[in-house]
Amino acid sequence: MPPALQPQPEVITLEQYEALPDEKRMEVFDGIVYDMASPSQIHQSISMQLSTVINNYILRKKGPCSIFSAPFDVKLSDSPLIIVQPDIMVVCDKNKLDEKRCNGAPDFIIEIVSPANPSDDYIRKLYYYKNYEVREYWIVDPRRKVITVNYFENNIVSVQYPFDSVIKVNIFDDLLINFSDIADLLNI
């Protein structure tokens, strides 16, 4: 007896995505909507600390880049529709920004791993960010106390650092992030 056919998920368009409720957190991969869990306290604390360090650097350098934190949409593709909401992103090309979202790959993305779905950051997003030409992608894993750096521009992939490391942000000349300061501040 043949296996029962599974119903195929509905593939949506940008117009359908924009009609969805604003208060619902979701991402779209290949036109299929995926719900996102609310971030934990440690997730939010790490995000705030990293955003502060990066934003202070950008302000001090008076560079062209801007930093955004979730929820802020990034449309990587129209067809198939791919929309993500990175935890933190840096966009250096202002032409990619409109009032709604970033259209195209940000220069730098940081995702903070959710214990409920780590494969999303380590596998799915790694695949899409690399293939849609994000320059640099970090995965911060508070449970494992590891930061994984992917600097796609120079083909450096999956370099892991412990939480007591000082790590260079490769898209900038002289931005170093001291994770031991962040870990000490947050008692992790």
Side-chain angles (χ1 to χ4, degrees):
M1 182 169 221
L5 293 177
Q6 296 294 318
Q8 294 299 310
E10 180 185 350
V11 174
I12 68 166
T13 64
L14 180 60
E15 293 74 24
Q16 291 169 314
Y17 174 79
E18 289 177 338
L20 295 171
D22 285 339
E23 64 276 358
K24 194 167 182 191
R25 293 193 67 220
M26 62 195 85
E27 294 179 309
V28 181
F29 294 96
D30 297 320
I32 300 169
V33 175
Y34 294 87
D35 290 329
M36 297 172 63
S38 294
S40 67
Q41 178 184 343
I42 192 67
H43 180 285
Q44 290 297 82
S45 297
I46 291 170
S47 180
M48 181 63 74
Q49 293 302 316
L50 288 170
S51 295
T52 300
V53 169
I54 296 166
N55 192 51
N56 286 341
Y57 173 85
I58 290 170
L59 292 173
R60 191 170 58 253
K61 292 294 185 171
K62 297 180 173 59
C65 303
S66 298
I67 186 168
F68 301 91
S69 58
F72 187 72
D73 286 348
V74 173
K75 183 178 63 158
L76 294 173
S77 172
D78 281 308
S79 183
L81 184 62
I82 300 169
I83 295 180
V84 293
Q85 291 185 356
D87 292 319
I88 301 169
M89 69 175 143
V90 174
V91 179
C92 298
D93 180 355
K94 303 276 192 231
N95 293 322
K96 290 183 177 181
L97 299 170
D98 61 25
E99 295 299 316
K100 296 180 182 178
R101 67 183 63 90
C102 173
N103 297 288
D107 294 272
F108 180 38
I109 289 177
I110 298 175
E111 295 284 7
I112 301 161
V113 175
S114 164
N117 193 9
S119 65
D120 202 40
D121 297 318
Y122 283 108
I123 299 170
R124 184 193 335 235
K125 289 185 178 180
L126 176 73
Y127 169 81
Y128 284 99
Y129 292 163
K130 183 176 189 320
N131 287 316
Y132 284 92
E133 300 181 354
V134 170
R135 294 171 61 197
E136 186 165 359
Y137 170 44
W138 289 15
I139 305 167
V140 177
D141 191 333
R143 189 179 53 77
R144 292 176 50 227
K145 296 185 178 169
V146 170
I147 301 96
T148 304
V149 173
N150 299 283
Y151 184 37
F152 300 130
E153 207 167 55
N154 278 6
N155 250 353
I156 298 170
V157 181
S158 295
V159 177
Q160 293 192 337
Y161 297 90
F163 257 43
D164 62 356
S165 299
V166 175
I167 306 172
K168 182 181 185 311
V169 177
N170 293 291
I171 68 161
F172 295 120
D173 291 333
D174 56 355
L175 174 55
L176 301 171
I177 297 180
N178 187 338
F179 271 85
S180 63
D181 286 350
I182 293 171
D184 289 346
L185 190 61
L186 301 176
N187 291 322
I188 52 176

